[in-house]
């Protein structure tokens, strides 16, 4: 599903190149649950952003479903992204001014779905995640775990093949974290969603089928 | 401190330049208006005791119509001097027209100056009343004999370049080749704005005050008085009026004519536009006061903008402020820092506005009185400037400064920038934006409608054809020479190639008018009708030349005296004829004069500007004509120059001493609307300024909003939002504000423009699309302004805005 070859990413700092990613080669198959680990500043998030088409490397090639996606036009990339990729953040990143329901609905609006279709999908998700009673609340009125649930529901609204999560449990207590991880495992095994998560926690990493370790921008394991 | 200020301003280049631009536009507008207003209100105020000096004028009433005349009957001055108590000086002033002056210069050569202007006749009291300084000669002798002349320094230098004033004394000037006058004094020019424009002074002749002249009022005979005490003004007026009435009672009773003498303080005369004075520039007080309002308003807008823009960039600086605070800076210190930045920005804006003002005055010279900048009081300007600087700094700097000092450093450093500035009230700023756009829309609507009316005025069917017609005036002294020169020239002109027709007549539409009282005595025995028509002297070629239509009857016959009349449609209606045909053969004539038949009725044509409806007009053949109306070949404009030089050759043959001057008639009609052109220009300029300033405010607000919503924009992009949908999201609210402004502004604009158009007898109708167009323009401009920032915000990489560090 994903094939990265010779990916380099650097910033110019005072005339010198400061490498964030150095010669990354990586293949991820459909249905995998991959955990990326590594210390702060090892390039985990940047790698995830590149995988999620939010960022571009300076060098290298990225095949997504056998298609070269680097140097695509904005519009094509956006289409690809909207169809196949969902994102979950450490800080949830819900829109404060929108209710739970509206937050989940937003990506469907950008996918130009009809009102009735949107309603069906959102209702289904709310039901499945057990947040029916909270659908008219605003994010500030929810606990961290609940917010992250909404974040995941939102990411799944477009039924993506690939779910990218950037330390999804980083702001949660261990019990909430476990619940989220269970949910990920379930999504991976029952719905066949490919998941790539960035995490600091060995324990969370164990939920995945494969662990990739980064150090100073290079894959060590 | 200065270093940090400069660095800070340089760091935010966009905002600094927007701030400087907005403020400097405001300052420039204020400074220009200040110059104009202080110039106009400064007239006469530097004359010592000017509160005690009054202009005696006449108020006339005849046949229900009022008239104002700046002149008084000639004998009035002497009578006041003899009979009215409490008067310090009586100063009669009359303009004198001399054709030319010949000067025996020091090097022995003669030099002739053609039509020297600003020559007046007066008496010694003139120099007592006004602050003149005698450089040569003395006040007692200067105008004591008839054949003396006093010059101002500038005039003396013109006639005798480089000669010391004392050497000029006693020299002789020769006027019109015959009149010799000896220079008996030289005075300084008045160094302030004044309507006392004289540069060359003659003594009033002895017979000037002749008693027989009580009945006439000539605007050339001006009279000033200086009272001992200004409280005595109303008493003096009563006295003077009684004098005038006493001497004219019998005379005026017969004509049912009334005349009041009034006295007006000289400082107010400058604004008394109803009293026309030749050579004197008058100002319109309501317009000036309106401009003062505009100036204050623009400055307030600019300061509001400054506040808007400054608060808009606060969130960006939150971190700097928080760090400073944790390091122990007091709120006061931060406010000082911000005030320092504001002060520095104001200084830069003031410097830049100097350049703007200069460029503006250079490019729109004709909008302002020519010597407006001659008497600037630099001390006053300097004081006002400093005052302005401090006030603006305070007003524009305090609120943002206060906000800065309220920043909670813990919140900021915990990376919650966005929350801590939610205190900045968006609703207040939104109200300001609506307010700004209401004003901008008012300006846009008036610019469109004034432009429309102006075009309508210039293109409307006048009832005659004005194109390809030259007007050439015969000098007034030569009009009635007994040799018939003007008819000889007329015949030669008619024979010229390229000239289609020539008429010696008064042009149909002109500011020079003549009217008289006429009677119509119906033959069926009903009461006679009176009217006061305008009289136009024409000849037989006139109707054809101007392509005027006869509705009934025939053209006038070439006769030597007035034996028949043409009237216009309006006259026919005023006299009560049901159709033009009915008027033919009826007799009219001047009151107490010969009655003659009406032979034709001309279709109505405009005889004055569009403010006034068409008047009753009577057209007669008369020898008192002084203008050649020359119709050139309309279809070959290229040939005109050649034809005109031909005409000049013939002119020189008959009037060898007179310069040949001509005017195209359509141009001189356009000149009637100079004031409207000025107004239209001023409105267009104000529109630009108002729109620009409103846009700056909008730009500030959208920038703040985009910054506050950075996170949301990032999330939406991650969720798949396109750039256009984000631009839409950001702009939607503001477009709503502009829509609200349109709803508020339209009725106000409609009302105000209707009011303005009411002043015109012939006017356009206001169509709804004008408001639609103005609204559309405003929305487009607003959208353009916002989209720059909105697109920038929408294009930002969401990775950056969602980073957690």
């Amino acid at each position: 599903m994903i094939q990265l070859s010779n990916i380099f990413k650097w910033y110019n700092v005072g005339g010198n190149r400061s490498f964030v990613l150095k010669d990354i080669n990586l293949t991820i198959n459909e249905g995998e649950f991959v955990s990326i680990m590594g210390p702060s500043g090892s390039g985990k998030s940047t790698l995830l952003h590149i995988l999620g088409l939010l960022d571009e490397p300076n060098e290298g090639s990225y095949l997504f479903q056998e298609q070269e996606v680097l140097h695509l036009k904005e519009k094509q990339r956006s289409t690809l992204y909207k169809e196949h990729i969902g994102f979950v953040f450490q800080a949830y990143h819900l829109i404060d001014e929108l209710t739970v329901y509206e937050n989940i609905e937003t990506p469907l609006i950008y996918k130009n779905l009809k009102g009735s279709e949107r309603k069906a999908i959102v209702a289904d998700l709310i039901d499945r995640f057990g947040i029916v009673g909270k659908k008219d609340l605003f994010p500030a009125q929810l606990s961290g775990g609940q917010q992250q649930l909404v974040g995941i529901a939102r990411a799944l609204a477009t039924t993506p093949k690939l779910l990218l999560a950037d330390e999804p449990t980083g702001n949660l207590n261990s019990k909430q974290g476990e619940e989220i991880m269970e949910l990920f495992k379930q999504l991976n095994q029952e719905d066949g969603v490919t998941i790539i998560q960035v995490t600091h926690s060995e324990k969370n990493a164990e939920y995945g089928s494969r662990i990739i370790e980064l150090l100073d921008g290079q894959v060590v394991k | 401190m200065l270093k940090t200020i400069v660095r800070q301003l340089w760091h935010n280049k966009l905002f600094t330049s927007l701030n400087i631009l907005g403020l400097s536009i405001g300052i420039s507008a204020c400074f220009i208006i200040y110059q104009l207003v202080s110039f106009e209100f400064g007239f006469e105020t530097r004359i010592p005791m000017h509160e005690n000096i009054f202009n005696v004028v006449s108020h006339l009433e005849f046949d229900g119509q009022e008239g104002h005349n700046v002149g008084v009957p000639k004998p009035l001055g002497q009578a006041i001097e003899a009979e009215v108590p409490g008067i310090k000086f009586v100063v009669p002033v009359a303009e004198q027209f001399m054709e030319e002056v010949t000067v025996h210069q020091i090097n022995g050569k003669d030099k002739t100056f053609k039509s020297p202007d600003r020559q007046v006749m007066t008496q010694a009291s003139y120099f007592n009343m006004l602050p003149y300084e005698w450089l040569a000669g003395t006040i007692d002798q200067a105008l004591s004999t008839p054949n003396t002349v006093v010059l101002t320094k500038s005039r003396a230098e013109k006639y005798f370049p480089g000669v010391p004033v004392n050497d000029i004394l006693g020299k002789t000037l020769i006027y019109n080749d015959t009149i010799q006058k000896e220079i008996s004094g030289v005075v300084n020019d008045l160094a302030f704005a004044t309507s006392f424009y004289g540069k060359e002074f003659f003594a009033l002749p002895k017979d000037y005050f002749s008693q027989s002249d009580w009945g006439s009022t000539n605007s050339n005979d001006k009279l000033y008085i200086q009272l001992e005490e200004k409280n005595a003004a109303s008493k003096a007026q009563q006295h003077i009026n009684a004098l005038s009435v006493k001497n004219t009672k019998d005379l005026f009773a017969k004509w049912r004519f009334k005349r009041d003498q009034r006295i007006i303080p000289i400082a107010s005369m400058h604004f008394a536009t109803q009293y026309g004075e030749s050579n004197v520039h008058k100002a319109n007080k309501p317009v000036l006061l309106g401009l003062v309002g505009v100036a204050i308003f623009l400055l307030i807008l600019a300061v509001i903008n400054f506040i808007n823009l400054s608060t808009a960039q606060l969130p960006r600086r939150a971190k700097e402020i928080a760090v400073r605070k944790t390091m122990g800076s007091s709120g006061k210190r931060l406010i000082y820092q911000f005030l320092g930045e504001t002060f520095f920005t104001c200084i830069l804006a003031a410097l830049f506005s100097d350049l703007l003002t200069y460029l503006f005055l250079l490019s729109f010279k004709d909008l302002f009185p020519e010597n407006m900048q001659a008497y600037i009081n630099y001390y006053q300007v300097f004081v006002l400037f400093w005052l302005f600087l401090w006030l603006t700094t305070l007003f524009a700097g305090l609120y943002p400064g206060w906000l800065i000092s309220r920043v909670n450093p813990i919140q900021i450093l915990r990376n919650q920038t966005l929350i801590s500035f939610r205190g900045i009230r968006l609703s207040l700023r939104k109200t300001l934006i609506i307010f700004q756009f209401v004003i901008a829309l008012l300006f846009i609507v008036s610019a469109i409608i004034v432009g429309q009316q102006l075009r309508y005025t210039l293109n409307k069917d006048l009832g005659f054809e004005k194109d390809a017609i030259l007007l050439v005036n015969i000098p007034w002294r030569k009009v009635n020479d007994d040799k018939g020169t003007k008819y000889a020239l007329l015949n030669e002109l008619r024979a010229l190639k390229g000239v289609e027709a020539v008429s010696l007549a008064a042009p149909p539409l002109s500011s020079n008018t003549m009217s008289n009282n006429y009677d119509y005595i119906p033959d069926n025995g009903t009461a006679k009708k009176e009217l006061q028509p305008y009289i136009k002297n024409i000849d037989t070629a006139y109707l054809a030349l101007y392509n005027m239509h006869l509705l009934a009857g025939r053209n006038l016959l070439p006769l030597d005296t007035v034996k028949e009349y043409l009237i216009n449609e309006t006259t026919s209606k005023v006299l009560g004829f049901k159709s033009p045909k009915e008027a033919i053969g009826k007799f009219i004539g001047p009151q107490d004069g010969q009655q003659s038949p009406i032979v034709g009725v001309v279709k109505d044509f405009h005889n004055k500007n569009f403010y006034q409806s068409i008047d009753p007009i009577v057209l007669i053949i008369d020898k008192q004509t002084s203008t050649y109306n020359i119709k050139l070949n309309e279809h070959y404009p290229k040939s005109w120059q050649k034809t005109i030089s031909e005409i000049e050759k013939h002119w020189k043959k008959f009037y060898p001493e007179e310069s040949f001057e001509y005017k195209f008639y359509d141009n001189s009609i356009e000149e009637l609307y100079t004031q409207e052109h000025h107004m239209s220009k001023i409105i267009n300029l104000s529109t630009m300024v108002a729109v620009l300033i409103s846009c700056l405010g909008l730009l500030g607000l959208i920038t703040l909003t985009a910054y506050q919503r950075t996170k949301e924009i990032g999330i939406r992009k991650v969720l798949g939002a396109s750039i256009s949908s984000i631009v839409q999201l950001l702009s939607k609210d503001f477009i709503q504000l502009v829509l609200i402004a349109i709803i508020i502004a339209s009725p106000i604009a409609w009302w105000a423009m209707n009011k303005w158009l009411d002043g015109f007898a012939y006017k356009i109708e206001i169509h709804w699309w004008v408001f639609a167009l103005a609204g559309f323009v405003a929305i487009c401009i607003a959208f353009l302004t916002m989209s720059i920032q909105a697109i920038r915000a929408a294009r930002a990489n969401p990775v950056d805005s969602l980073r957690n560090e």
Side-chain angles (χ1 to χ4, degrees):
Chain A
M1 185 187 202
I2 286 171
Q3 193 168 4
L4 295 181
S5 21
N6 311 105
I7 294 288
F8 284 86
K9 175 86 180 171
W10 66 78
Y11 295 104
N12 288 319
V13 180
N16 294 321
R17 276 182 186 178
S18 157
F19 283 91
V20 186
L21 294 175
K22 260 190 259 177
D23 196 17
I24 304 278
N25 294 287
L26 197 62
T27 308
I28 292 168
N29 297 317
E30 197 152 355
E32 275 197 279
F33 184 172
V34 180
S35 302
I36 302 174
M37 293 194 69
S40 286
S42 58
K44 308 183 297 287
S45 292
T46 308
L47 180 57
L48 198 72
H49 289 147
I50 288 174
L51 286 169
L53 303 179
L54 294 178
D55 210 349
E56 284 207 334
N58 297 88
E59 256 180 57
S61 112
Y62 176 9
L63 297 179
F64 184 82
Q65 295 185 325
E66 273 99 57
Q67 185 189 358
E68 176 59 68
V69 292
L70 301 182
H71 317 298
L72 273 184
K73 286 214 179 90
E74 176 74 27
K75 207 167 181 178
Q76 293 165 302
R77 185 161 62 214
S78 170
T79 314
L80 200 67
Y81 176 88
K82 277 192 270 190
E83 286 295 321
H84 301 296
I85 300 174
F87 235 102
V88 176
F89 300 93
Q90 175 180 6
Y92 334 126
H93 285 328
L94 301 178
I95 298 173
D96 298 333
E97 288 77 15
L98 302 182
T99 63
V100 165
Y101 184 96
E102 288 160 349
N103 260 295
I104 297 172
E105 190 188 21
T106 307
L108 300 173
I109 296 175
Y110 292 135
K111 241 180 122 179
N112 292 326
L113 282 152
K114 278 198 217 102
S116 53
E117 291 177 82
R118 295 204 301 260
K119 214 166 159 183
I121 295 171
V122 178
D124 188 42
L125 278 166
I126 285 175
D127 191 36
R128 178 168 162 199
F129 282 73
I131 45 177
V132 178
K134 305 207 163 46
K135 71 176 169 54
D136 293 324
L137 297 182
F138 288 94
Q141 295 167 296
L142 300 176
S143 74
Q146 288 165 337
Q147 288 193 45
Q148 193 58 299
L149 269 183
V150 177
I152 295 168
R154 186 178 65 181
L156 293 175
T158 55
T159 52
K161 289 209 174 76
L162 177 63
L163 186 68
L164 300 167
D166 193 354
E167 303 207 34
T169 62
N171 285 10
L172 302 177
N173 63 34
S174 58
K175 186 165 171 286
Q176 290 171 329
E178 255 169 55
E179 282 168 16
I180 297 293
M181 279 301 117
E182 283 299 330
L183 179 61
F184 272 19
K185 198 170 172 184
Q186 188 190 345
L187 284 171
N188 177 245
Q189 285 171 0
E190 290 173 20
D191 300 277
V193 180
T194 312
I195 298 178
I196 303 173
Q197 68 164 345
V198 162
T199 183
H200 266 127
S201 136
E202 292 276 351
K203 205 174 131 217
N204 286 347
E206 295 301 329
Y207 284 88
S209 52
R210 179 147 72 108
I211 296 175
I212 294 167
E213 265 185 54
L214 280 185
L215 183 67
D216 295 335
Q218 286 175 305
V219 179
V220 266
K221 207 172 87 185
Chain B
M1 178 109 173
L2 186 67
K3 203 168 68 185
T4 27
I5 287 174
V6 172
R7 198 181 292 154
Q8 188 69 47
L9 294 178
W10 181 249
H11 184 69
N12 294 321
K13 279 187 277 297
L14 173 71
F15 273 97
T16 307
S17 42
L18 284 180
N19 268 336
I20 291 177
L21 187 67
L23 264 184
S24 58
I25 290 172
I27 297 173
S28 297
C30 272
F31 187 49
I32 290 166
I33 291 173
Y34 162 80
Q35 283 186 20
L36 180 65
V37 169
S38 72
F39 172 74
E40 301 287 14
F41 278 89
F43 264 73
E44 328 299 7
T45 53
R46 282 166 69 186
I47 297 173
M49 312 283 285
H50 70 90
E51 307 91 341
N52 292 13
I53 304 177
F54 295 83
N55 198 344
V56 186
V57 297
S58 303
H59 180 247
L60 313 169
E61 219 181 301
F62 175 67
D63 199 23
Q65 292 191 336
E66 289 186 35
H68 299 89
N69 198 312
V70 73
V72 294
K74 286 192 173 80
L76 186 63
Q78 231 169 29
I80 290 174
E81 217 161 6
E83 297 182 40
V84 182
I87 307 253
K88 201 167 168 192
F89 300 119
V90 172
V91 184
V93 176
E95 193 168 356
Q96 171 80 325
F97 306 98
M98 291 290 192
E99 283 297 303
E100 56 180 40
V101 54
T102 309
V103 183
H104 288 295
Q105 285 182 318
I106 300 293
N107 59 15
K109 277 184 191 160
D110 278 5
K111 195 168 180 195
T112 301
F113 297 86
K114 288 267 180 195
S115 55
D117 59 344
R118 298 171 181 240
Q119 299 166 313
V120 296
M121 295 188 292
T122 184
Q123 54 191 36
S125 56
Y126 183 89
F127 298 100
N128 283 320
M129 185 178 79
L130 300 171
Y132 280 104
E133 194 188 327
W134 288 83
L135 305 174
T138 61
I139 192 164
D140 305 322
Q141 287 160 13
L143 292 178
S144 55
T145 56
N147 284 325
T148 50
V149 55
V150 173
L151 304 178
T152 64
K153 192 159 180 265
S154 62
R155 188 52 57 97
E157 271 162 10
K158 183 177 168 191
Y159 290 166
F160 303 95
V163 181
V165 285
N166 280 317
D167 296 353
I168 294 171
L169 218 57
K171 291 258 177 302
T172 305
L173 299 179
I174 302 158
Y175 292 94
N176 297 358
D177 267 346
T178 48
I179 310 159
Q180 300 207 353
K181 287 185 190 278
E182 188 190 315
I183 299 173
S184 60
V186 177
V187 293
N188 245 349
D189 292 90
L190 294 177
F192 49 80
T194 178
S195 305
F196 293 99
Y197 56 81
K199 299 246 180 247
E200 208 164 336
F201 307 94
F202 312 120
L204 281 168
K206 283 271 174 317
D207 56 355
Y208 176 79
F209 301 104
S210 82
Q211 289 299 315
S212 59
D213 257 357
W214 275 104
S216 70
T217 325
N218 187 328
S219 65
N220 195 31
D221 302 318
K222 295 192 227 173
L223 183 65
Y224 299 90
I225 52 171
Q226 180 166 351
L227 304 181
E228 299 281 359
E229 287 186 48
K230 82 175 157 193
N231 312 353
S234 64
K235 227 178 198 167
Q237 170 160 318
Q238 278 171 20
H239 253 281
I240 292 169
N241 201 25
L243 258 182
S244 172
V245 170
K246 188 178 83 187
N247 284 292
T248 52
K249 217 184 209 157
D250 304 336
L251 192 63
F252 286 168
K254 183 181 156 206
W255 297 97
R256 283 165 300 154
F257 189 89
K258 266 176 72 183
R259 182 178 66 201
D260 275 329
Q261 308 309 145
R262 298 184 177 177
I263 66 174
I264 296 176
I266 45 169
S268 313
M269 267 315 273
H270 181 58
F271 302 106
T273 43
Q274 69 271 38
Y275 295 99
E277 293 179 70
S278 64
N279 273 339
V280 171
H281 158 75
K282 299 239 170 195
N284 189 330
K285 208 170 192 172
V287 168
L288 285 177
L289 294 178
L291 279 177
V292 171
V294 168
I296 293 172
F297 177 76
L298 285 180
L299 196 60
I300 291 176
L301 271 194
V303 169
I304 287 174
N305 256 330
F306 190 98
I307 297 173
N308 251 344
L309 289 170
S310 309
T311 43
Q313 49 178 328
L314 282 191
R316 294 163 191 268
R317 301 183 56 182
K319 199 168 156 203
E320 175 211 337
I321 296 160
V323 171
R324 278 179 191 277
K325 273 201 161 180
T326 51
M327 283 159 56
S329 173
S330 67
K332 230 192 226 165
R333 249 189 103 91
L334 287 169
I335 293 184
Y336 284 150
Q337 192 203 344
F338 192 79
L339 286 183
E341 280 169 31
T342 312
F343 190 70
F344 196 73
T345 314
C346 283
I347 289 182
L348 288 179
L351 291 179
F352 186 56
S353 77
D354 256 5
L355 180 73
L356 278 185
T357 309
Y358 173 76
L359 288 177
F360 184 86
L361 288 179
L362 201 69
S363 18
F364 298 96
K365 234 190 255 156
D366 50 336
L367 284 180
F368 303 97
E370 60 178 325
N371 49 353
M372 181 175 91
Q373 290 183 300
Y375 313 113
I376 293 180
N377 182 343
Y378 285 100
Y379 174 71
Q380 200 180 20
V381 170
F382 185 75
V383 168
L384 277 176
F385 173 75
W386 272 104
L387 204 68
F388 157 80
L389 211 57
W390 285 108
L391 284 180
T392 313
T393 303
L394 272 185
F395 280 117
L398 267 187
Y399 177 62
W402 177 73
L403 280 176
I404 281 183
S405 69
R406 266 186 3 146
V407 163
N408 181 342
I410 312 286
Q411 276 183 358
I412 302 280
L413 294 180
R414 270 208 198 134
N415 210 6
Q416 291 180 321
T417 327
L418 305 171
I419 295 161
S420 66
F421 273 103
R422 209 157 274 166
I424 300 172
R425 304 275 305 185
L426 266 180
S427 54
L428 172 76
R429 302 153 136 272
K430 282 182 177 171
T431 316
L432 290 178
I433 294 287
I434 293 177
F435 184 61
Q436 286 181 334
F437 266 85
V438 166
I439 300 302
L441 277 161
L442 289 182
F443 274 115
I444 296 174
V445 170
S446 7
I448 297 174
I449 289 180
V450 170
Q452 270 186 320
Q453 173 69 20
L454 203 59
R455 245 168 291 138
Y456 170 80
T457 308
L458 294 179
N459 297 334
K460 187 178 184 287
D461 180 18
L462 293 164
F464 60 89
E465 279 178 14
K466 64 180 191 311
D467 298 321
I469 290 172
L470 279 187
L471 297 185
V472 180
N473 283 320
I474 306 169
W476 55 274
R477 299 169 316 281
K478 308 279 168 93
V479 168
N480 290 316
D481 69 344
D482 37 18
K483 287 172 270 176
T485 317
K486 64 177 181 184
Y487 296 108
L489 176 57
L490 176 67
N491 285 331
E492 289 206 1
L493 291 180
R494 280 182 173 151
L496 270 180
K497 198 175 158 252
V499 172
E500 308 237 305
V502 185
S503 169
L504 196 49
L509 187 158
S510 84
S511 49
N512 298 330
T513 53
M514 180 171 76
S515 70
N516 204 348
N517 289 312
Y518 270 60
D519 280 342
Y520 161 59
I521 305 165
D523 38 17
N524 59 8
T526 50
K528 72 172 181 179
K529 280 200 173 123
E530 294 173 26
L531 76 158
Q532 200 181 15
Y534 286 94
I535 315 294
K536 290 235 174 264
N537 296 336
I538 62 164
D539 62 11
T540 50
Y542 192 75
L543 294 187
L545 188 144
Y546 281 108
N547 200 11
M548 290 177 177
H549 300 291
L550 272 172
L551 297 173
R554 59 164 171 86
N555 196 356
L556 294 169
L557 294 175
L559 300 167
D560 276 352
T561 51
V562 182
K563 292 219 177 77
E564 50 189 28
Y565 293 106
L566 279 180
I567 59 173
N568 70 346
E569 227 176 323
T570 305
T571 314
S572 150
K573 279 179 197 146
V574 168
L575 292 177
F577 299 123
K578 285 190 194 72
S579 73
K581 272 211 176 85
E582 209 180 301
I584 307 298
K586 301 290 191 300
F587 279 72
I588 58 170
Q591 260 167 19
D592 309 322
Q594 177 71 42
Q595 297 261 322
S596 306
I598 295 167
V599 297
V601 178
V602 179
K603 190 164 174 265
D604 268 343
F605 58 91
H606 283 274
N607 64 317
K608 283 194 201 156
N609 55 36
F610 281 78
Y611 289 111
Q612 284 143 350
S613 38
I614 293 172
D615 299 294
I617 296 169
V618 169
L619 302 105
I620 56 173
I621 289 198
D622 192 286
K623 291 204 161 2
Q624 287 289 341
T625 50
S626 60
T627 307
Y628 288 109
N629 304 245
I630 305 168
K631 175 90 174 176
L632 304 176
N633 189 335
E634 225 174 314
H635 308 291
Y636 294 101
K638 276 186 199 150
S639 67
W640 290 357
Q641 216 42 54
K642 202 171 147 240
T643 313
I644 290 171
S645 56
E646 277 299 305
I647 295 173
E648 183 172 7
K649 265 184 217 155
H650 288 267
W651 171 272
K652 282 289 174 200
K653 205 161 95 191
F654 289 92
Y655 299 111
E657 286 144 32
E658 307 301 334
S659 61
F660 172 73
E661 282 164 20
Y662 65 90
K663 248 184 180 172
F664 276 98
Y665 191 31
D666 45 359
N667 290 345
S668 55
I669 287 179
E670 245 175 78
E671 273 170 25
L672 284 178
Y673 298 96
T674 323
Q675 212 190 335
E676 282 72 20
H677 271 293
H678 274 193
M679 183 167 159
S680 165
K681 250 189 195 174
I682 289 176
I683 289 183
N684 288 344
L685 286 170
S686 310
T687 306
M688 267 156 54
V689 171
V691 168
L692 193 65
I693 290 186
S694 309
C695 285
L696 290 182
L698 198 58
L699 192 62
L701 198 53
I702 188 96
T703 309
L704 177 67
T705 316
Y707 190 80
Q708 283 178 336
R709 295 174 81 168
T710 308
K711 192 187 110 179
E712 184 193 334
I713 292 168
I715 298 169
R716 285 183 185 273
K717 280 195 83 176
V718 169
L719 296 179
S722 61
I723 289 177
S724 67
S725 79
I726 288 185
V727 171
Q728 216 174 41
L729 178 83
L730 287 174
S731 323
K732 203 179 66 195
D733 293 349
F734 297 104
I735 296 300
Q736 263 169 16
L737 297 186
V738 178
L739 284 175
I740 294 174
I742 292 173
I743 292 168
I744 297 174
S746 294
I748 301 176
W750 184 81
W751 176 81
M753 285 286 83
N754 260 326
K755 200 104 192 147
W756 180 73
L757 285 173
D758 274 350
F760 289 89
Y762 302 92
K763 62 195 173 194
I764 52 157
E765 265 177 65
I766 299 179
H767 295 286
W768 65 269
W769 62 259
V770 171
F771 301 100
L773 178 66
F776 181 71
V777 168
I779 287 182
C780 283
I781 292 172
F783 190 76
L784 275 179
T785 311
M786 289 186 306
S787 52
I788 303 166
Q789 282 290 325
I791 288 173
R792 206 158 82 161
R795 285 179 64 97
N797 191 338
V799 172
D800 296 327
S801 52
L802 298 181
R803 219 183 278 281
N804 274 324
E805 276 87 346

